[in-house]
Structure formats: structure tokens, C-alpha cells
Amino acid sequence: MSRKGTSSFIIQRASAVLLIPLAIWLLINIVAHIGADYASARAWLEAPFNGLLLGAFLIIGAWHMRIGMMEIIADYIYSSLKGALLFINWLVALGVIAAVAWSIYHISFAG
Amino acid sequence: MAEGATSERPLSPHLQIWRFTVTMAASITHRGTGAVIYGGSLLLAVWLYALTFSPSLFEVVSGFVNSPIGFIIIAGYVWALSFHLMNGLRHLYWDSGRGLAPKTAAMTAWLVYTASILLTVFILWSGYAARGAA
């Protein structure tokens, strides 16, 4: 992760700015959908923009989370575990992005 | 560096010699809430995947979310996201070179704690009230 400091700094802030409206939107929708059953949750997700906004929150958030967790690992882990944890951190971010993108493609475009 | 001089020093970030301040607490909480959101968002991604591809998996996830442990997780996620969002605004304001005076930073830290707790109570109250009415 060396020599990526400046780009990580910029991406972390750019993603933060994008996540502000998305997080507000998510908090409002958590209010409206706590404990929703399958049919009503599915109807909500299939409505225009809901899937895209949830997908955008999770995908942009995955990248924001990866950088944040990378900083935490870099600050506290000095052992040989560090490389493995950074690798797992990448896998988690890429896994979330793949699963979310596939879900949103399926529900918003292919479904 | 003289030999032996490095052995007894406290490791950075010197937690054992710092005086407690609200700005330091907010900084630690920003990291902690970030880690909580990391975990909660994984659960949200599983919820989305199950909702898209597997009604039977959705029942499992939904049952977990609607349990008492699920309530604690939702409450924790809502507060963590509220705090991280508001404190993130504080960070972006700092990045513009403003709001860094100690008194201002302490005041905004208290503001973020107070507002995030109020927002969380409001969200959970209105969410569960609407659910009860449905």
C-alpha cells in the first residue's frame, strides 16, 4: 500500500462527500423498513431508484470502508498478520462490491 | 540512538499518559463507529443479496434482524452511521482549514455526540412506532 497515501486521502474524502446524501437517504429508509417482510421489502427494492441508491451506498461505502480499515490495520498491527489482514480487507471490499452489483443488476435491470 | 534507550518508552499513541478530552473521545469513536459500520454494512449486503436471490435465506436474515440481538445491531448501526456521518462533516470542515481551535473542536464534538444520539432515538422510535401501527 506504499506510495498510495495521497490518492487514498483524496478518494476517502471524495467518497465521504458522496456518502453524505446516501447515508441520510439510508437512515430515512431504515426508519420506514425496520422488520419488513419479504414481499414489502422486495417491492421497496424494485421501486425506481431504491435499488440503485442502496447499491451506490454499499459500493461507494465498500471502498470508503476498505481505506478506513486499511488505516486501522496500518496503525495497530505490526506483526506478520498485517499483510494477511490487508489482503482479507481487499477481498471483503471486492466481495461486497461484486455481490451488491450482481444483486442490483438483477433486480433493477435484468429482473 | 543509544542502546537500551528505546526499550522502556510507551508505544504511540501514548494512551496511558493522555488526559481525557472530548475531542480525543470523538476521534476514537469515529474509528470505532467506522468499524461497526463495516460489520453492519456486510450484514446489509447479505440482506440485499438474500432479498434478490433467495427468499429462504431472507427469512433467516429477517428472523435474525427481528430478534432482540437484531434490535441491538440495528440500534448500534443507526447510531454508528449517524455519528460517523456527522463527525465526518466535522472532519471535512477541518480539511478546509476551519474549526480547529480547541474550544470550537470541543464544542462541535459535544454537538456531534448529542445530535447523533437524538437522531438515533428519533429514527428508532419512529421506525418501531410505524411498524406497530402497520
Side-chain angles (χ1 to χ4, degrees):
Chain A
M1 247 36 78
S2 56
R3 298 176 194 178
K4 293 277 188 190
T6 304
S7 67
S8 289
F9 180 96
I10 292 168
I11 293 169
Q12 195 65 339
R13 275 136 192 95
S15 58
V17 170
L18 292 173
L19 285 165
I20 292 166
L22 291 169
I24 293 170
W25 171 85
L26 182 74
L27 285 167
I28 292 167
N29 278 279
I30 287 176
V31 178
H33 295 93
I34 288 175
D37 61 19
Y38 182 83
S40 57
R42 178 91 191 190
W44 170 77
L45 189 62
E46 285 175 357
F49 296 113
N50 282 342
L52 291 176
L53 289 171
L54 181 60
F57 174 80
L58 286 170
I59 288 171
I60 298 169
W63 214 246
H64 188 87
M65 279 162 28
R66 186 193 66 79
I67 295 171
M69 188 58 78
M70 180 185 77
E71 288 180 10
I72 293 177
I73 293 167
D75 278 356
Y76 301 127
I77 309 293
Y78 300 100
S79 68
S80 53
L81 264 178
K82 181 175 168 180
L85 289 173
L86 288 172
F87 181 67
I88 292 168
N89 191 39
W90 266 97
L91 287 186
V92 168
L94 294 178
V96 167
I97 289 169
V100 169
W102 194 33
S103 300
I104 298 303
Y105 169 74
H106 186 84
I107 210 145
S108 297
F109 300 105
Chain B
M1 281 296 176
E3 202 171 329
T6 55
S7 60
E8 295 301 319
R9 292 179 189 166
L11 279 172
S12 177
H14 310 295
L15 289 178
Q16 58 273 61
I17 62 169
W18 272 357
R19 181 173 55 86
F20 180 89
T21 61
V22 69
T23 45
M24 154 211 184
S27 175
I28 294 168
T29 308
H30 195 71
R31 281 221 155 159
T33 51
V36 168
I37 297 163
Y38 193 106
S41 295
L42 291 185
L43 185 62
L44 187 59
V46 171
W47 180 86
L48 170 64
Y49 185 87
L51 185 56
T52 308
F53 294 110
S54 173
S56 58
L57 178 61
F58 183 84
E59 291 308 315
V60 176
V61 176
S62 188
F64 179 62
V65 167
N66 290 324
S67 70
I69 295 172
F71 171 78
I72 293 168
I73 290 175
I74 287 182
Y77 187 77
V78 168
W79 177 69
L81 190 55
S82 303
F83 183 94
H84 204 84
L85 171 66
M86 293 178 189
N87 204 52
L89 290 172
R90 196 165 155 255
H91 270 278
L92 290 171
Y93 189 61
W94 287 340
D95 288 344
S96 75
R98 287 168 287 186
L100 291 157
K103 275 188 178 171
T104 312
M107 189 266 284
T108 52
W110 282 115
L111 190 65
V112 165
Y113 273 110
T114 308
S116 66
I117 291 168
L118 289 176
L119 180 64
T120 302
V121 170
F122 172 74
I123 285 175
L124 293 174
W125 175 78
S126 47
Y128 280 92
R131 181 186 173 186

